[in-house]
Amino acid sequence: MPPAHPFDASYLPDSEDGDKLKEECGVFGVIGVADAANFVALGLHALQHRGQEAGGIVTHSAEAGFQSARRFGYVRDNFTSQKVMETLPGSLGIGHVRYSTSGSKGQTAIRDVQPFFGEFAMGGAAIAHNGNITNANALRRELIERGSIFQSSSDSECIIHLMARSLQQNIPERMEDALRRVEGAFSIVAMTRTKLIGVRDPLGVRPLVLGKLGDGFALSSETCALDIIGAEFVREIEPGEMVVITEKGVQSHFPFRRQPSKFCIFEHVYFSRPDSILGGRSVYETREAIGRELAKENPVDADMVCPVPDSGTPAAIGFSLESGIPYAMGIIRNQYMGRTFIEPTESIRNMGVRLKLNVNRALVKGKRIILVDDSVVRGTTSRKIKEMILDAGAAEVHFRIASPPTAWPCFYGVDTPDRDKLLAATMTEDEMRDHLGVDSLKFISLDGLYRAVGEAEGRKKSCPQYCDACFSGEYPVIPSDKVTDGFKMKSAAE
């Protein structure tokens, strides 16, 4: 393979992008609209932050049947061509954008790109999956022993094979049958020749919402994608719910045993776009509330509050409003990262994070700066940003982090490093402060985060209201494949 280009985010392991947790993917689907593929492409464009590695669209029309297109790269570079979109006719379509959390990370083959398609006795079906199946290895071994032939390395393909082996009479029932065998997190958008189907796992770890678009309907990972196509937000799909949408309307039922919801709290902190609505709450307002809570818990005497753009911005605004310390854009993000006009020389490679972020020297010189960021994962970016701020003449640098320490990997659809690569798994807060070389480092508490997302009494220790395993190590679904491979769960003593 040719060397990756230095302006490609995936090339920069120590850059801002390489030092952030990444949501695995986004899903979108529409039914009952002319040229469905165009609406799906727009929806996927709005969900691009949930997956920038590859994307795919499947549509169906009576004349052409099922048609699909799968491409590497951004939606804007692949699904804006009239030539491509003309190959995707029909009033029903689904799409998917992905990062690789399962399968061949960083070496994705086109066969790994969703949606996946299967032809069954009662007709074809396509499926797009957000989340991660924690017993996929065990299911895959079982299915292969029974004769299934896998085409991809993705955990999501297990669902298609389980559907093929089901004895149920129609595709929605086969999907229910298959998903009862699946452990982990799944928000699914699927389609048959006449139906659009949405399903969330019983814990509701990943988001899925329903929208109304004229006489048709849309399903999406986030409400921001409904906005871009002019759809009206109807409601969230509930944990454990399956909706089957046809030209006659929406049918809903609950095929799984009801359980307390365990929605991913990091969706509020970072994954979702700030203009989306989660659980009836504005993501932007929640992040501002996190910043306010952070300022209450961890005050510091300083001259200026600066966000690490762009994910730290709402929390930094909240911190400034609560503390009374002025807010300023001390770091500017380069929004126009090129990909082709500089060769990958050693000097360019060494620029690292400077390719994306630049310090506003006139603002920070001589100032005591509070840097607000959403998380610290490996710490590589935080160290480089601190060095940039000090090089620009800042007197002090104080980090305030809008999430608790990330000390455990996520197995439910987030690209997380191994535990020994997570800074908070191997160091105390004081040790992290010294490692980063900053004047102070403080994280919001887990209770403080819960208060900011609307839980006034904080976290219920006996039954947490959210999935917060990346902070607490308390996994609502045992990651059986990882445990089999040697992963050590949190002990009672911890």
Side-chain angles (χ1 to χ4, degrees):
M1 292 180 63
H5 197 276
F7 277 66
D8 186 338
S10 64
Y11 172 80
L12 299 168
D14 290 340
S15 77
E16 180 201 16
D17 296 82
D19 198 23
K20 294 290 186 186
L21 301 182
K22 293 188 176 75
E23 174 68 79
E24 167 225 13
C25 59
V27 293
F28 192 84
V30 294
I31 187 172
V33 296
D35 299 319
N38 290 324
F39 287 94
V40 174
L42 287 168
L44 295 180
H45 178 71
L47 298 173
Q48 189 77 85
H49 60 288
R50 299 182 75 88
Q52 299 177 19
E53 188 175 67
I57 296 175
V58 174
T59 62
H60 183 272
S61 71
E63 298 76 22
F66 287 96
Q67 299 294 324
S68 68
R70 294 183 284 180
R71 301 286 191 275
F72 293 119
Y74 293 139
V75 174
R76 71 182 184 213
D77 296 330
N78 292 307
F79 296 105
T80 52
S81 160
Q82 184 178 351
K83 184 178 179 181
V84 172
M85 302 313 286
E86 285 176 348
T87 68
L88 299 167
S91 60
L92 172 57
I94 65 171
H96 186 274
V97 287
R98 89 185 295 264
Y99 281 115
S100 52
T101 59
S102 64
S104 47
K105 284 189 182 180
Q107 303 178 25
T108 302
I110 198 68
R111 65 178 178 270
D112 294 323
V113 180
Q114 298 185 42
F116 291 134
F117 177 78
E119 191 74 59
F120 306 104
M122 67 288 295
I127 184 170
H129 167 221
N130 175 25
N132 214 49
I133 298 171
T134 56
N135 64 334
N137 293 346
L139 288 173
R140 192 182 187 96
R141 285 193 297 270
E142 175 192 323
L143 288 162
I144 288 173
E145 286 171 1
R146 294 185 178 184
S148 293
I149 299 173
F150 280 75
Q151 300 296 316
S152 78
S153 61
S154 171
D155 61 335
S156 308
E157 192 182 350
C158 289
I159 299 170
I160 289 285
H161 289 284
L162 290 169
M163 289 171 63
R165 291 187 170 274
S166 171
L167 299 178
Q168 298 301 318
Q169 296 304 305
N170 60 54
I171 288 173
E173 289 176 353
R174 286 190 172 210
M175 186 175 294
E176 287 180 29
D177 211 17
L179 293 176
R180 288 192 183 98
R181 296 285 318 279
V182 165
E183 298 171 6
F186 54 85
S187 282
I188 288 171
V189 171
M191 61 180 283
T192 69
R193 290 172 294 186
T194 59
K195 299 179 177 71
L196 179 65
I197 303 167
V199 198
R200 283 181 82 188
D201 69 78
L203 298 179
V205 177
R206 297 280 153 233
L208 190 64
V209 299
L210 173 68
K212 187 79 170 67
L213 181 62
D215 293 330
F217 291 89
L219 291 169
S220 174
S221 290
E222 292 184 42
T223 61
C224 64
L226 301 179
D227 297 336
I228 198 173
I229 64 169
E232 174 190 356
F233 170 61
V234 176
R235 63 177 179 87
E236 294 184 357
I237 305 303
E238 294 184 40
E241 182 182 13
M242 172 181 276
V243 293
V244 179
I245 308 171
T246 66
E247 60 183 16
K248 296 179 181 179
V250 180
Q251 292 182 322
S252 166
H253 66 292
F254 291 82
F256 313 110
R257 180 174 61 85
R258 292 287 191 114
Q259 300 180 48
S261 173
K262 289 291 186 290
F263 184 63
C264 170
I265 201 166
F266 215 77
E267 290 279 357
H268 287 287
V269 175
Y270 176 69
F271 295 140
S272 296
R273 257 177 46 169
D275 51 335
S276 284
I277 305 294
L278 291 177
R281 292 173 59 89
S282 157
V283 174
Y284 178 92
E285 291 177 356
T286 295
R287 289 176 186 167
E288 185 182 293
I290 291 172
R292 288 180 179 272
E293 193 69 33
L294 184 58
K296 292 176 186 175
E297 291 186 346
N298 301 294
V300 60
D301 190 17
D303 303 307
M304 186 181 298
V305 179
C306 298
V308 176
D310 292 316
S311 55
T313 300
I317 291 171
F319 194 105
S320 172
L321 290 171
E322 183 65 33
S323 66
I325 300 171
Y327 168 93
M329 295 296 292
I331 301 173
I332 306 301
R333 183 183 179 93
N334 178 10
Q335 304 288 353
Y336 303 99
M337 287 287 292
R339 284 174 173 260
T340 58
F341 68 94
I342 295 182
E343 291 299 315
T345 61
E346 189 66 27
S347 61
I348 293 295
R349 289 190 186 103
N350 290 337
M351 287 182 185
V353 74
R354 294 176 187 269
L355 293 170
K356 290 214 162 191
L357 303 174
N358 190 44
V359 177
N360 195 338
R361 290 176 174 268
L363 282 182
V364 307
K365 187 175 181 180
K367 301 288 191 355
R368 297 168 298 171
I369 304 298
I370 301 170
L371 288 177
V372 180
D373 204 357
D374 61 90
S375 60
V376 172
V377 182
R378 295 181 179 91
T380 48
T381 299
S382 300
R383 291 185 70 177
K384 292 189 175 185
I385 290 173
K386 177 267 303 184
E387 290 166 4
M388 290 166 60
I389 292 285
L390 289 177
D391 287 347
E396 296 176 5
V397 178
H398 303 270
F399 263 109
R400 292 296 180 268
I401 309 301
S403 62
T406 303
W408 296 85
C410 174
F411 301 120
Y412 307 133
V414 177
D415 187 7
T416 315
D418 293 335
R419 188 162 189 240
D420 60 3
K421 300 293 195 303
L422 296 170
L423 209 62
T426 58
M427 296 184 185
T428 65
E429 191 173 280
D430 287 344
E431 288 171 339
M432 284 190 277
R433 178 201 64 208
D434 294 342
H435 174 76
L436 298 177
V438 293
D439 292 277
S440 71
L441 168 69
K442 294 293 181 182
F443 297 80
I444 192 171
S445 69
L446 198 48
D447 273 333
L449 178 57
Y450 270 74
R451 286 192 294 269
V453 300
E455 299 291 341
E457 302 301 316
R459 182 179 189 262
K460 296 178 182 177
K461 293 182 180 180
S462 61
C463 184
Q465 304 93 311
Y466 287 86
C467 176
D468 56 25
C470 55
F471 307 131
S472 67
E474 297 175 18
Y475 293 91
V477 178
I478 294 175
S480 54
D481 284 344
K482 295 295 182 181
V483 170
T484 299
D485 291 342
F487 176 74
K488 297 292 190 293
M489 298 281 286
K490 183 177 179 179
S491 66
E494 293 179 273

